[in-house]
Amino acid sequence: MPMGSWPILLRNWTGTVSKEKNSNAASRIPVPIARHLRALEEAINEQMRYRNPIPTVDIIIEVEGGVVLIERKNPPFGWAIPGGYVDYGESLERCAVREAAEETSLDVELTRQFHTYSSPDRDKRHHSISTVFIAIAKGTPRGADDAIRAGVFTRDGLPDNIAFDHRQILEDYFNRRY
């Protein structure tokens, strides 16, 4: 199908988006960009059709002296249990080990799957589902990747500013709600 016959998203001078078919403006868009716009429009339509929660993992890392938390480099700011997004084709377990190493510089051994947390408001940015693992590690954690720093905390010494629903997760962990 010739490019000019495709509806193309165009931004007019007012900043609004309009669809124009066979317009002069559409014919001036280079073909690679027009293809990219079509692919982007299809991806947006696909995502709007299937709005699924995003899978994530969090890892409660037990070390001598307590559990490891990281101070987040990116919003939402605060202290958090190390964790992150599951990559396509990656198992939850592999993701947990990878995220622990990336954010704390620790090699962990997963000891058990703890709980899955799925409240739609657990992350203000989007609906995510987190499977939480418990792991053990030796050594001193060092903040890296998305972490400004890492620290070791006890139940009675948790920081005030804890991101997401991680205070609830830690409460469940310390109260042994398995």
Side-chain angles (χ1 to χ4, degrees):
M1 182 176 294
M3 186 187 97
S5 63
W6 280 80
I8 303 292
L9 288 176
L10 300 172
R11 187 168 302 279
N12 66 23
W13 68 273
T14 64
T16 60
V17 175
S18 62
K19 281 192 173 188
E20 296 181 23
K21 193 171 187 174
N22 296 323
S23 72
N24 289 336
S27 65
R28 289 194 307 265
I29 296 175
V31 173
I33 294 173
R35 286 185 185 136
H36 179 71
L37 287 172
R38 279 195 301 274
L40 182 60
E41 183 178 24
E42 289 171 12
I44 290 169
N45 288 339
E46 185 73 14
Q47 189 168 24
M48 294 310 294
R49 193 174 352 177
Y50 302 107
R51 287 193 63 200
N52 296 326
I54 300 167
T56 63
V57 299
D58 290 306
I59 313 95
I60 298 172
I61 305 170
E62 299 171 337
V63 295
E64 187 176 329
V67 296
V68 177
L69 298 180
I70 55 114
E71 187 174 9
R72 292 179 50 79
K73 186 185 292 184
N74 301 309
F77 299 111
W79 289 89
I81 299 167
Y85 298 105
V86 179
D87 291 337
Y88 185 83
E90 182 178 46
S91 72
L92 296 173
E93 295 82 3
R94 178 69 196 116
C95 178
V97 170
R98 175 181 57 78
E99 285 289 345
E102 286 176 2
E103 293 186 351
T104 69
S105 304
L106 292 172
D107 291 322
V108 300
E109 178 186 332
L110 301 180
T111 58
R112 71 174 294 152
Q113 191 178 100
F114 181 54
H115 284 293
T116 297
Y117 294 82
S118 62
S119 176
D121 64 353
R122 66 178 303 273
D123 184 335
K124 302 299 181 210
R125 301 169 299 175
H126 49 251
H127 183 186
S128 65
I129 297 173
S130 180
T131 300
V132 180
F133 291 89
I134 298 173
I136 56 173
K138 292 182 180 169
T140 303
R142 265 189 354 267
D145 192 39
D146 297 334
I148 295 171
R149 60 186 167 150
V152 178
F153 298 89
T154 63
R155 177 184 199 157
D156 297 327
L158 292 175
D160 291 330
N161 185 17
I162 296 182
F164 310 113
D165 60 349
H166 290 188
R167 185 172 297 282
Q168 178 64 52
I169 295 170
L170 290 166
E171 183 179 312
D172 290 347
Y173 166 77
F174 287 125
N175 288 320
R176 300 192 178 276
R177 293 187 184 131
Y178 292 96

